[in-house]
Amino acid sequence: MEETESRLPALGNRGGGWVALQVVLFVVAAVVGWLGMRWPPPARPWLWVAGIVALVAGVGLLLAGGAGLGKQLTPFPRPLDAGVLRQDGIYGFARHPIYGGVLLLLLGWALVSSPLTLIPFVVAAAFFDAKRRREEVWLVAKYPDYPAYSERVPRRFVPFVW
């Protein structure tokens, strides 16, 4: 797959526009969760438990993904020139665990804050899928064995789930 095959824009040399857009999404989710209407009282305890589980899982996935990348960790979707393709550790179970961790954090926040926060969560899920597709074009161009890796590791964000 050539870089020119992507219909998604690069949004900058390293993909900085993607990072800026995700920051906007985070701010919107935070504000909506903080100011939005609350869940109905009978549902709150159950949603809090589910939300805390999602938040803890999200932090774990985020940290495992960052640790797996080590010095290659960058907020930008274009891989570093000196980087290597990580296929071990958490990357043996999901190709983009950091994105998965962020999505679990957003879901957890929605469950403990406001049902309206599910809207930015759904938008973020679509956004991170698009960002992943853009990033994978760069990964295929840089790492010839990336297509085989993506076949071997079908989960994109959350091991065993998604």
Side-chain angles (χ1 to χ4, degrees):
M1 182 186 306
E2 299 270 335
E3 186 171 327
T4 57
E5 288 183 32
S6 178
R7 294 180 184 188
L8 296 166
L11 298 180
N13 229 11
R14 300 276 325 277
W18 290 97
V19 177
L21 287 171
Q22 79 188 36
V23 168
V24 169
L25 269 171
F26 297 158
V27 170
V28 168
V31 169
V32 170
W34 193 260
L35 300 177
M37 64 184 224
R38 298 288 149 228
W39 289 98
R44 285 183 195 157
W46 299 106
L47 291 171
W48 264 84
V49 170
I52 296 300
V53 168
L55 288 165
V56 169
V59 168
L61 201 51
L62 191 69
L63 292 175
L69 286 178
K71 292 184 180 200
Q72 291 183 179
L73 181 62
T74 175
F76 302 106
R78 184 184 286 265
L80 296 174
D81 291 337
V84 297
L85 179 61
R86 298 290 185 196
Q87 301 179 49
D88 56 347
I90 194 68
Y91 289 93
F93 299 99
R95 298 193 312 262
H96 303 277
I98 293 174
Y99 297 168
V102 168
L103 288 170
L104 284 173
L105 286 170
L106 288 173
L107 177 60
W109 173 241
L111 295 175
V112 301
S113 65
S114 169
L116 293 177
T117 313
L118 290 171
I119 295 168
F121 165 73
V122 169
V123 171
F127 170 82
F128 277 106
D129 189 60
K131 184 179 177 188
R132 170 203 59 86
R133 288 184 286 128
R134 173 66 255 191
E135 182 175 350
E136 286 185 346
V137 170
W138 283 323
L139 290 167
V140 166
K142 180 164 176 51
Y143 306 113
D145 51 342
Y146 192 85
Y149 164 68
S150 66
E151 287 286 323
R152 210 171 43 260
V153 180
R155 302 294 181 224
R156 296 176 181 111
F157 301 118
V158 179
F160 312 110
V161 178
W162 177 23

